[in-house]
């Protein structure tokens, strides 16, 4: 029996977490996890801050889901203060969120294949993800779109050349999906590593209310964008992929299916952009608010109370 420690520092922008694998050959006998490994005192740092300053802390909870956390916090702050962001800002939030989802799914698909010693999909997904990140930088001035979603709307409008850059990157992703699917589904050695591995049975997923692609890969038909609709998704038709096998292969297939849906959503959102405001002021008003937002990697929930003093 061997113990393999991983983390808490990882080679990327994800949040810290410590994992200790107990393995016998290729069989994982036990896994110990310590999530939330590093206490950063974010809530303490937020106390006394204005909504705009506190939003910077929320956006840094996890680098790979900065749009998700920023949106959850912004929506909670807006609910507490009675602010409705402008329509253009809402559409731009949707564009950023789906770009973040696409980048994360490409990253995960590549690393899943690489961990099973199949390097070609990893290299291909890395190339496509880089194109998406560069398009995000061209459109919003930041590869990860950090600090772009703020209470009251968005801090920056899309660049004039932004839609063209985004659509070109997404066209490359769509063009690359068939080859990725063929490579993943057509190699027996990769399928041997993915199919039947890490199975989460539908009953267990339902009992724990597993969300995101994990729940949907195990038959739990839930998506906050559809089932708890909020703008701009409340006026956007899309299909929620669903699988029932609950193994690594099913979760990878969910990611592939969502790539196709998200690329179509971004194109639809860009087509609906009209001239208008992108940011409204947040009034000095006491209140309570909560928000629910579905991220690509997890479900983000934020609750926020602002008490006006003096």
């Amino acid at each position: 029996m061997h113990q393999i420690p991983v983390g808490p520092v990882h080679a990327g922008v994800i949040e810290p977490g410590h994992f200790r694998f107990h393995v016998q050959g290729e069989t994982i006998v036990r896994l110990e996890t310590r999530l939330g490994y590093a206490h950063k005192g974010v809530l303490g740092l937020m106390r006394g801050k204005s909504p705009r300053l506190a939003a910077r802390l929320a956006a840094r909870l996890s680098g790979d889901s900065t749009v998700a956390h920023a949106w959850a916090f912004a929506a909670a702050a807006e609910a507490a203060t009675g602010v409705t962001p402008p329509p253009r800002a809402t559409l731009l939030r949707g564009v950023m969120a789906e770009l973040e989802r696409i980048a994360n799914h490409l990253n995960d698909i590549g690393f899943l294949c690489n961990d099973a010693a199949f390097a070609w999909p990893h290299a291909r997904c890395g190339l496509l993800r880089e194109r998406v990140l560069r398009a995000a930088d061209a459109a919003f001035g930041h590869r990860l779109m950090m600090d772009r979603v703020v209470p009251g709307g968005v801090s920056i409008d899309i660049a004039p050349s932004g839609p063209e850059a985004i659509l070109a990157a997404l066209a490359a992703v769509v063009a690359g999906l068939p080859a990725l699917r063929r490579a993943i589904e057509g190699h027996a050695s990769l399928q041997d590593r993915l199919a039947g591995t890490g199975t989460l049975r539908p009953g267990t997923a339902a009992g724990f209310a597993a969300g995101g692609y994990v729940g949907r890969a195990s038959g739990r038909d839930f998506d906050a964008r559809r089932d708890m609709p909020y703008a701009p998704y409340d006026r956007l038709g899309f299909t929620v992929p669903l699988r029932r096998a609950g193994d690594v292969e099913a979760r990878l297939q969910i990611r592939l299916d969502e790539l196709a849906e998200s690329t179509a959503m971004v194109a639809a959102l860009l087509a609906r952009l009209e001239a208008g405001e992108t940011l409204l002021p947040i009034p000095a008003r006491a209140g309570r608010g909560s928000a629910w937002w579905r991220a690509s990697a997890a479900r983000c929930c934020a609750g926020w109370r602002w008490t006006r003093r003096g």
Side-chain angles (χ1 to χ4, degrees), residues 101-116:
R101 190 185 319 278
I102 291 167
N104 284 341
H105 281 343
L106 287 169
N107 190 63
D108 289 350
I109 292 167
F111 270 98
L112 280 171
C113 295
N114 191 61
D115 288 345

Side-chain angles (χ1 to χ4, degrees), residues 33-308:
T33 63
R34 291 181 64 189
L35 304 178
Y37 189 91
H39 177 68
K40 297 183 286 187
V42 173
L43 292 178
L45 292 171
M46 284 184 173
R47 292 192 181 98
K49 300 290 194 302
S50 69
R52 296 278 165 78
L53 288 177
R56 292 179 59 83
L57 296 169
R60 284 157 178 77
L61 289 171
S62 178
D64 61 353
S65 299
T66 182
V67 174
H69 287 93
W71 195 344
F73 179 84
E78 289 156 3
T81 54
V83 173
T84 300
R88 182 176 177 86
T90 299
L91 291 170
L92 290 175
R93 285 180 177 183
V95 170
M96 295 181 200
E98 296 308 315
L99 286 177
E100 181 174 83
R101 190 185 319 278
I102 291 167
N104 284 341
H105 281 343
L106 287 169
N107 190 63
D108 289 350
I109 292 167
F111 270 98
L112 280 171
C113 295
N114 191 61
D115 288 345
F118 192 23
W120 182 84
H122 178 54
R124 186 60 184 168
C125 286
L127 175 63
L128 294 174
R129 178 176 182 268
E130 179 63 22
R131 291 198 62 170
V132 173
L133 294 180
R134 291 187 182 190
D137 186 38
F140 300 109
H142 196 286
R143 287 166 59 86
L144 300 179
M145 299 163 287
M146 188 171 286
D147 299 324
R148 278 19 186 187
V149 177
V150 296
V154 294
S155 63
I156 187 172
D157 203 344
I158 191 169
S161 61
E164 181 181 357
I166 291 172
L167 292 175
L170 297 188
V173 173
V174 171
L177 280 178
L180 278 174
R181 286 188 182 273
R182 287 195 301 269
I184 292 169
E185 297 170 359
H187 284 73
S189 60
L190 180 61
Q191 286 296 307
D192 184 59
R193 295 295 185 96
L194 301 179
T197 301
T199 300
L200 176 66
R201 301 187 184 282
T204 305
F208 282 92
Y213 59 82
V214 174
R216 286 192 295 282
S218 296
R220 185 166 183 263
D221 189 10
F222 177 80
D223 189 310
R225 298 171 299 173
R226 180 197 65 190
D227 301 323
M228 304 175 69
Y230 53 93
Y233 298 106
D234 53 351
R235 296 185 179 181
L236 194 63
F238 59 96
T239 300
V240 177
L242 192 68
R243 305 267 174 165
R244 295 194 59 84
D247 55 7
V248 175
E249 182 187 20
R251 291 189 284 274
L252 191 152
Q253 292 291 349
I254 288 288
R255 291 177 173 96
L256 285 170
D257 294 340
E258 286 200 358
L259 280 177
E261 291 297 321
S262 291
T263 54
M265 277 192 273
V266 171
L269 290 168
L270 289 174
R272 297 184 185 187
L273 282 179
E274 297 181 359
E277 293 181 296
T278 57
L279 186 62
L280 297 178
I282 298 294
R285 179 185 304 161
R288 293 174 180 264
S290 63
W292 182 276
W293 196 90
R294 180 188 165 261
S296 57
R299 287 177 297 173
C300 296
C301 183
W304 191 67
R305 180 180 69 176
W306 182 17
T307 304
R308 184 181 180 186

